[in-house]
Amino acid sequence: MLLGYYDPDGSLIYAGRAGTGIDNAELARLWRHLQPLATDRMPVAVPPPRGTRFGSPLVLSRVHWVRPELVAEVKFLAWTEDNLLRQVVYDGLREDKPAGEVRREVPRAKP
């Protein structure tokens, strides 16, 4: 699953991929939610990088694009230097937050 967030100007920014944390039952549920959102248009402002230091290369021709209307809750280890999430685990869909409000959290310094 490809992930993204909105920057302050409203552009959707690619943030990485989540592959773990999705069992077969959740995969079937996601498919039912995602099918009606299918689109031929890539919704991110800049195409995702095809190569990566982590995981297998991304093959854009195999991506099934959807309109960015769902919000996924994920856990992750860190942001990489190239602004991608690292070691991402899918935790479920959130229905309490509109997709357009998803922003990258900025860490606060500890006092």
Side-chain angles (χ1 to χ4, degrees):
M1 173 185 307
L2 304 185
L3 305 169
Y5 63 91
Y6 287 95
D7 68 6
D9 76 3
S11 297
L12 185 61
I13 307 300
Y14 174 73
R17 302 184 258 178
T20 60
I22 306 173
D23 62 19
N24 287 336
E26 182 63 9
L27 191 58
R29 189 174 87 84
L30 280 170
W31 181 251
R32 287 190 302 276
H33 283 293
L34 293 171
Q35 253 186 329
L37 301 176
T39 180
D40 292 333
R41 190 177 81 77
M42 181 177 10
V44 291
V46 176
R50 292 189 177 118
T52 177
R53 297 176 297 177
F54 313 105
S56 58
L58 180 62
V59 181
L60 290 178
S61 63
R62 297 188 67 206
V63 173
H64 297 273
W65 298 108
V66 297
R67 293 187 314 274
E69 296 178 13
L70 299 177
V71 176
E73 180 83 26
V74 298
K75 297 175 192 168
F76 60 95
L77 178 66
W79 286 94
T80 65
E81 290 179 8
D82 45 353
N83 294 315
L84 298 176
L85 295 170
R86 183 158 182 238
Q87 294 186 350
V88 183
V89 177
Y90 172 82
D91 217 18
L93 289 178
R94 288 185 57 174
E95 297 183 16
D96 63 325
K97 184 172 191 171
E101 291 180 9
V102 174
R103 303 282 187 265
R104 179 176 174 176
E105 294 180 3
V106 178
R108 296 181 195 162
K110 292 184 180 180

